[in-house]
């Protein structure tokens, strides 16, 4: 697959369709490729596409679409939702992007492999549904299903919402998976004290590295309110409980109705806080109250939270449900 | 350097009874920025206002905080007082220590502590207040009345007689409303049509009044003095200019099976119809769901018989956009659905009817020509039972907690009229209480009891069922004699609760006018501003505001009219300077604010911004302050905090929160 994408990127660079390529390149380890910009055909030698290319590249297009000429960007099915949402918010210029929709079998989760006993990982190879880990303390073989990210267990399906062309591995017919809200439901049934304790425990691990915010395609403000000295939030961030009680909740509110549920926040969290569940709770409520809505499925529909119709749910019902 | 003055009002004992005002004064004196604080018995009085003026001058105050009642009550008063003393009126903040403090606390300790906290929040906010200058906006000299019943008719007539243009929008094919369905009116028993139809004619002929029947309000934008309204004029399929109202089309129409709405479904009507003979305008409409021509493409009888050539099957709905300075809601009422009241056997028996259906039966123009008969067999009823409070004063979820107010009187009316027409009938009325306050009302009810021998039974009916002989069996209790009652009846009449018209929610939403739990429109003040909505420029007429009989409705309709006239008589309105503004440096150009703005005040433009030394062209939000009403929806939709509201800036709100949490 990787070879096909490199070949196509070279062609598009060569014929002048695009002037740069946004993709992924090898990291220092075999399981941490990183987003990268390629401006020459030679540099594409470092291009990589494998199960660890979970990074959603759509947010990079904010800056890249301001530059002269088109940028080739590779988007997995779930990344296309983020891209559309950014187009909808006038943050990305659709005309400045050439999108190749790539297929995805679910992003691999190296931490899951470690938990399952892989120690001293040297090399990871994928072969269909089998993932083989060569490791210092014993090689391991896993079923792919057991070592994918939680977000991929709630896959929105194989269809790309926007693209200029599709790679050969794209599977537009691949259906969405069930149980997207099963983890949210587990938290919903907790009593308020238990739920508070759950989130306090999770969020207390936050070291405020801002990785969630920086990776989030919905967190694309030119100036984030948390960095804005106009509201003295910078000082408030010094309060002991800020991360536990404020930061993530405020962030979830800010992206409510705009979050496409790409799950990048949880993927990059070094403390393994399941941040995407906060957003998913909002999505679930929005679906319940206003009818099913998927942010980024298109670029022109009115989002329920910034729209009003007389069929909207009554505030009293929202209140009753708490 | 800020110099803040704090004024703590006793409001007699309203505040001072639960808040130690002296301690509040001492506490706020310690707050940074506060240079002056005092308390007084009635801050809103002339003497109180003088104290504020004196302090502004003597202490060179740069901002003031009044700890008193709700800003809805006296913010205007204190702003004016500040302005007179030479301080910008927007440098005044109110700490509401009455409604939000003294009235809800019983304990002096707690009340005082909270009053100090509220004062502290207001002080924190006023420190960040900026002087603001209000602008002016125009007043369109035309009013819109939504609803063409007696409330709407009266309001329109009164406004028009004062010399202003009025448009009435009525959903049904004719004006007239509920009153046109009634037979006689209490307490004088004059015929409803006889007093209503002249008014309908007057409205129709008035040169200042324009009627849109078979039309609905579809969209409302703008604000007090300058509303823009889209009215959907539904296709009648009959040319209003050509139609002579001869009625031949209605006579010849072969589709005759549609329940007649005007007669409450007691008989049927043709597909082309006017609701009643005295309809205004006297131009029929075609009900496309019943019309054979529309359903099958074949028929066209009405078109063939129409000598005037008025039938036009190709007519389309028309959207009319007009501007108004004021809007009156007069949407009226309907009776509640009785599906949940099976004990009264309404859905099961044709001989159990609502009081409004009885009105149609008693009316000479009704489905039985004024003969009150059992609809099951056409016989005259001998024993008639009225059941009061069907769904009214009912605190269970199936009914309404309020009293529908009109039922006691119309029941007495109907009972007497029945006895008049049919001296041989027996009439029984089951009631919880008989409520007849009103001029000549109790006398009217007493006449029913004393002169007409109507049998009033204090108690409720538990069950109505069918007896073996085909009559109805009514089972109830007599609470005075403490006995069970079982009686056979030929006709049971239900005094069904009334509720606001179903469309009122949609209309209230378009107007951003508030409604209560029962869907009645809320007044700006329940006692002192009963015909105004809290939304400026929106006025209330008739039952949409609460249950009313005809005299009350007409009185309120006139009151609403004079409020409208008072508004339309002004040439300019002072606008609220607390409008939104966007900081182009923080704006992402995402359009969230534009989407939530109910006034269309936000647009986007390409602007060159200097951000950290970098010049960049960005798509940024721009607020038209002439259109902005300061609702603040944009400020909460804005993810980056670029959008801010003057007088209620994010910074000010956070400063208040900080002061409270300190």
């Amino acid at each position: 697959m990787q070879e096909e994408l490199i070949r196509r990127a070279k062609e598009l660079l060569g014929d002048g369709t695009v002037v740069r390529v946004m993709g992924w390149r090898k990291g220092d380890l075999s399981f941490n490729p990183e987003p990268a910009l390629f401006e020459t055909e030679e540099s594409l030698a470092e291009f990589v596409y494998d199960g660890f290319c979970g990074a959603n590249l759509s947010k990079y297009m904010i800056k890249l679409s301001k530059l002269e000429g088109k940028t080739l960007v590779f988007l997995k099915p779930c990344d296309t939702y983020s891209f559309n949402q950014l187009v909808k918010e006038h943050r990305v210029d659709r005309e400045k992007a050439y999108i190749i929709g790539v297929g995805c079998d679910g992003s691999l989760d190296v931490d899951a492999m470690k938990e399952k006993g892989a120690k001293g990982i040297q090399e990871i190879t994928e072969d269909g549904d089998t993932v083989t880990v060569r490791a210092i303390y014993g090689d391991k073989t896993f079923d792919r299903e057991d070592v994918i990210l939680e977000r991929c267990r709630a896959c929105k399906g194989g269809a790309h919402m926007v693209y200029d062309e599709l790679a050969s591995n794209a599977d537009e017919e691949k259906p969405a998976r069930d149980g997207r809200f099963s983890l949210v439901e587990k938290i919903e049934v907790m009593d308020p004290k238990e739920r508070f304790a759950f989130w306090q425990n999770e969020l207390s691990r936050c070291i405020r590295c801002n990785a969630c915010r920086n990776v989030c395609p919905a967190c694309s403000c030119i100036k984030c309110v948390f960095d804005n000295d106009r509201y003295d939030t910078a000082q408030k961030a010094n309060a002991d409980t800020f991360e536990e009680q404020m930061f993530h909740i405020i962030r979830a509110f800010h992206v409510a109705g705009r979050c496409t549920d790409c799950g990048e926040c949880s993927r990059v969290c070094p403390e393994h806080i399941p941040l995407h569940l906060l957003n998913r709770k909002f999505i679930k409520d929005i679906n319940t109250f206003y009818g099913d809505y998927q942010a980024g499925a298109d670029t022109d529909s009115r989002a329920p939270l910034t729209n009003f119709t007389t069929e909207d749910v009554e505030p009293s019902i929202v209140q009753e449900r708490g | 350097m800020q110099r803040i003055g704090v004024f703590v009002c006793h409001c007699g004992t309203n505040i001072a009874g639960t808040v130690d005002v002296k301690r509040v004064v001492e506490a706020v004196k310690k707050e940074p920025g506060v240079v002056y604080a005092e308390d007084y018995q009635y801050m809103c009085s002339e003497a109180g206002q003088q104290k504020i003026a004196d302090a502004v001058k003597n202490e060179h105050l740069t901002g003031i905080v009044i700890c008193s009642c709700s800003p809805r009550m006296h913010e205007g008063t204190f702003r004016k007082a500040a302005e007179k003393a030479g301080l910008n009126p927007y440098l005044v903040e109110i700490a509401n220590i009455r409604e939000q403090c003294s009235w809800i606390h019983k304990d002096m300790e707690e009340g005082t502590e909270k009053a100090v906290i509220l004062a502290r929040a207001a002080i924190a906010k006023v420190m960040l207040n900026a002087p603001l200058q209000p602008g002016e906006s125009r007043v369109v000299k035309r009013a819109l009345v939504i609803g063409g019943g007696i409330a709407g008719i009266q309001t329109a007539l009164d406004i028009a007689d004062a010399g202003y243009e009025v448009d009435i929008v009525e959903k049904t094919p004719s004006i007239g409303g509920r009153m046109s369905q009634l037979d006689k009116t209490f307490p004088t028993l004059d015929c409803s049509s006889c007093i209503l139809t002249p008014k309908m004619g007057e409205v129709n002929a008035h040169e200042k009044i324009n009627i849109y029947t078979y039309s609905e309000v579809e969209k409302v934008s703008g604000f007090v003095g300058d509303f823009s309204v889209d009215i959907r004029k539904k296709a009648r399929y009959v040319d209003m200019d050509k139609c002579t109202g001869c009625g031949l089309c209605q006579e010849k129409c072969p589709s005759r099976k549609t329940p007649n709405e005007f007669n409450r479904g007691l008989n049927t009507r043709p597909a082309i119809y006017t609701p009643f003979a005295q309809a205004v305008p006297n131009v029929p409409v075609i009900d496309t769901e019943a019309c054979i021509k529309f359903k099958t493409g074949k028929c066209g009888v009405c078109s063939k018989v129409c000598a005037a050539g008025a039938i036009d099957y190709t007519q389309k709905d028309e959207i009319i956009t007009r501007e108004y300075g004021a809007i009156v809601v007069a949407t009226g009422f309907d009776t509640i659905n009785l599906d949940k009241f099976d004990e009264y056997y309404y859905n099961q028996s044709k001989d159990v009817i609502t009081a409004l259906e009885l009105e149609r039966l008693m009316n000479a123009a009704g489905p039985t020509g004024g003969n009150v008969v059992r609809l099951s067999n056409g016989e005259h009823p001998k024993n008639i039972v009225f059941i009061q409070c069907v769904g009214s004063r009912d605190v269970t979820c199936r009914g309404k907690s309020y009293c529908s107010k009109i039922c006691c009187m119309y029941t007495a009316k109907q009972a007497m009229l029945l006895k008049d027409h049919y001296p041989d009938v027996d009439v029984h009325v089951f009631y919880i209480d008989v409520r007849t306050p009103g001029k000549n009302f109790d006398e009217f009810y007493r006449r029913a009891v004393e002169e007409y021998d109507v049998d009033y039974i204090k108690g409720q009916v538990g069950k109505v069922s069918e007896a073996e002989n085909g009559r109805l069996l009514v089972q109830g209790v007599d609470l005075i004699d403490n006995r069970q009652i079982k009686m056979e009846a030929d006709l049971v009449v239900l005094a069904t609760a009334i509720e606001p018209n179903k469309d009122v929610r949609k209309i209230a939403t378009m107007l951003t006018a508030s409604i209560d739990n029962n869907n009645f429109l809320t007044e700006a003040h329940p006692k002192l501003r009963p015909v105004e909505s809290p939304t400026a420029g929106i006025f209330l007429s008739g039952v949409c505001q609460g249950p009313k009989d005809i005299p009350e409705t007409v009185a309120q309709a006139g009151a609403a009219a004079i409020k409208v006239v008072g508004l339309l008589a002004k040439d300019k309105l002072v606008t609220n300077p607390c409008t939104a503004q966007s900081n182009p440096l923080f704006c992402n150009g995402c359009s969230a604010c534009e989407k939530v703005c109910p006034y269309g005040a936000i647009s986007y433009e390409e602007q060159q911004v200097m951000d950290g030394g970098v010049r960049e062209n960005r798509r940024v939000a721009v607020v038209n302050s002439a259109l902005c009403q300061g609702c603040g929806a944009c400020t909460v939709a804005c993810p980056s905090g670029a959008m801010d509201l003057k007088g209620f800036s994010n910074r000010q709100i956070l400063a208040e929160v900080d002061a409270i949490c300190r």
Side-chain angles (χ1 to χ4, degrees), chain A residues 81-82 85 88 156 257-261 293-298:
Chain A
Y81 293 87
S82 311
Q85 186 63 24
K88 193 175 188 170
K156 289 192 277 287
R258 304 162 52 231
C259 167
T260 64
D261 198 10
Y293 174 77
Q294 171 61 54
D298 58 59

Side-chain angles (χ1 to χ4, degrees), chain A residues 49-83:
Chain A
Y49 184 65
D50 61 26
F52 288 102
C53 291
N56 178 349
L57 304 180
S58 54
K59 190 176 182 180
Y60 293 92
M61 292 307 294
I62 296 175
K63 280 207 169 132
L64 296 175
S65 76
K66 288 205 174 86
L67 303 178
E68 283 291 315
K70 275 197 181 193
T71 305
L72 167 62
V73 61
F74 294 96
L75 298 180
K76 301 187 294 300
C78 63
D79 305 341
T80 57
Y81 293 87
S82 311
F83 183 89

Side-chain angles (χ1 to χ4, degrees), chain A residues 66 88-91 218 220-225 228-233 236 254-255 258 300-303 305-311 314-315, chain B residues 505-506 509-510 581 583-592 594-596 611 616-619 637-644 650-651 654 658:
Chain A
K66 288 205 174 86
K88 193 175 188 170
E89 292 173 11
H90 306 273
R91 307 287 283 127
S220 62
C221 284
I222 290 167
K223 184 90 170 173
C224 174
V225 281
N228 195 333
D229 50 13
R230 220 167 135 213
Y231 305 122
D232 305 331
T233 35
K236 291 191 180 78
H254 277 212
V255 302
R258 304 162 52 231
D300 45 19
S301 65
R302 292 287 295 253
L305 294 187
T306 52
N307 194 20
F308 176 75
T309 72
T310 42
E311 281 76 46
E314 293 300 327
Chain B
R505 286 191 81 82
K506 207 170 78 192
T509 305
M510 283 192 268
Q581 57 183 358
N583 185 331
L585 267 185
F586 303 142
C587 177
N588 301 322
C590 72
S591 283
E594 180 198 22
K595 290 192 178 106
V596 299
D611 191 357
E616 215 180 2
N617 275 333
R618 285 188 195 164
R619 179 181 193 272
C638 179
S640 65
M643 198 55 93
D644 223 344
N650 293 333
R651 229 192 130 102
L654 283 177
D658 281 347

Side-chain angles (χ1 to χ4, degrees), chain A residues 236-245:
Chain A
K236 291 191 180 78
N238 291 333
D240 292 341
T241 54
F242 189 75
E243 280 79 28
E244 279 175 33
Q245 296 180 2

Side-chain angles (χ1 to χ4, degrees), chain B residues 71-189:
Chain B
R72 272 181 65 170
M73 199 76 193
H74 277 307
E75 186 175 61
T77 312
F78 294 124
R79 277 185 175 165
K80 266 187 210 140
E83 195 171 19
K84 251 164 75 183
L87 192 68
N88 183 287
Y90 293 90
L91 299 174
V92 176
E93 282 300 324
I94 309 284
N96 179 355
I97 61 166
R98 195 178 75 171
E99 285 86 342
Q100 291 178 351
C101 184
S102 69
W103 277 1
I104 49 169
H105 286 286
K106 292 201 168 64
D107 182 70
M108 178 76 93
E109 247 344 277
E110 281 177 0
T112 307
E113 190 188 347
K114 182 164 170 189
V116 172
I117 291 170
L118 290 173
R120 211 195 272 155
I123 294 164
K125 184 175 181 219
V126 82
M127 300 280 265
L128 300 169
N129 277 25
L132 301 174
Q133 299 300 335
E136 281 183 340
S137 67
R138 66 168 185 160
V139 180
V140 178
K141 308 275 181 184
R142 175 190 291 273
L144 171 68
V145 175
I146 306 173
I150 182 60
I153 288 173
Q154 189 62 47
T155 303
L157 280 173
D158 290 348
I159 297 170
D161 282 344
Y164 296 100
E165 304 262 339
V166 188
D167 289 355
I168 299 178
V169 171
E170 165 60 42
K171 186 176 61 172
T172 68
S174 169
I175 59 168
R178 291 275 165 251
M179 191 173 165
S180 62
Q181 293 176 293
L182 306 183
D183 183 38
K184 303 274 191 307
T185 55
F186 60 77
T188 46
L189 294 182

Side-chain angles (χ1 to χ4, degrees), chain B residues 214-257:
Chain B
Y214 211 45
S215 301
E216 289 182 53
V217 171
E218 188 145 290
K219 193 177 149 213
V220 179
S221 56
F223 46 89
V224 55
D226 200 356
F227 293 103
S228 175
V229 179
D230 285 0
I231 299 164
R232 175 177 292 273
K233 213 172 158 212
K234 289 178 281 187
R236 277 184 117 87
Y237 306 106
V238 177
D239 189 321
M240 292 192 67
D241 296 328
K242 289 184 188 161
C243 175
T244 60
C246 71
L248 198 59
C249 52
Q250 305 183 49
E251 227 170 85
K252 300 290 182 200
C253 176
S255 163
R256 314 198 70 89
K257 289 197 179 142

Side-chain angles (χ1 to χ4, degrees), chain B residues 190-327:
Chain B
D190 33 4
C191 140
S192 188
S193 291
C194 310
I195 54 175
L196 176 67
T197 40
K199 278 201 184 285
M200 289 163 63
E202 202 184 328
V203 164
N204 200 25
H206 206 298
E207 58 171 4
K208 296 274 185 194
I209 300 178
N210 181 22
I211 307 173
Y212 295 109
T213 50
Y214 211 45
S215 301
E216 289 182 53
V217 171
E218 188 145 290
K219 193 177 149 213
V220 179
S221 56
F223 46 89
V224 55
D226 200 356
F227 293 103
S228 175
V229 179
D230 285 0
I231 299 164
R232 175 177 292 273
K233 213 172 158 212
K234 289 178 281 187
R236 277 184 117 87
Y237 306 106
V238 177
D239 189 321
M240 292 192 67
D241 296 328
K242 289 184 188 161
C243 175
T244 60
C246 71
L248 198 59
C249 52
Q250 305 183 49
E251 227 170 85
K252 300 290 182 200
C253 176
S255 163
R256 314 198 70 89
K257 289 197 179 142
T258 312
N260 184 336
E261 298 89 349
F262 187 76
N263 283 333
R264 307 299 286 182
L266 296 180
N267 65 348
T268 58
R269 60 157 170 83
I272 183 164
Y273 71 105
T274 49
F276 55 106
Q278 296 76 29
V280 169
N282 186 20
V283 177
V285 298
I286 295 180
D287 173 356
T288 54
E289 278 172 31
C291 175
I292 299 166
K293 172 85 178 169
F294 276 93
K295 283 198 296 192
T296 68
K298 289 180 197 133
C299 183
V301 168
C302 50
S303 173
K304 281 173 209 142
V305 300
C306 181
I311 309 292
D312 176 5
Y313 300 118
T314 63
Q315 239 181 39
K316 294 262 176 317
D317 286 9
E318 202 184 326
I319 304 282
I320 297 161
T321 305
R322 295 206 80 159
E323 290 174 333
Y324 300 99
I327 299 175

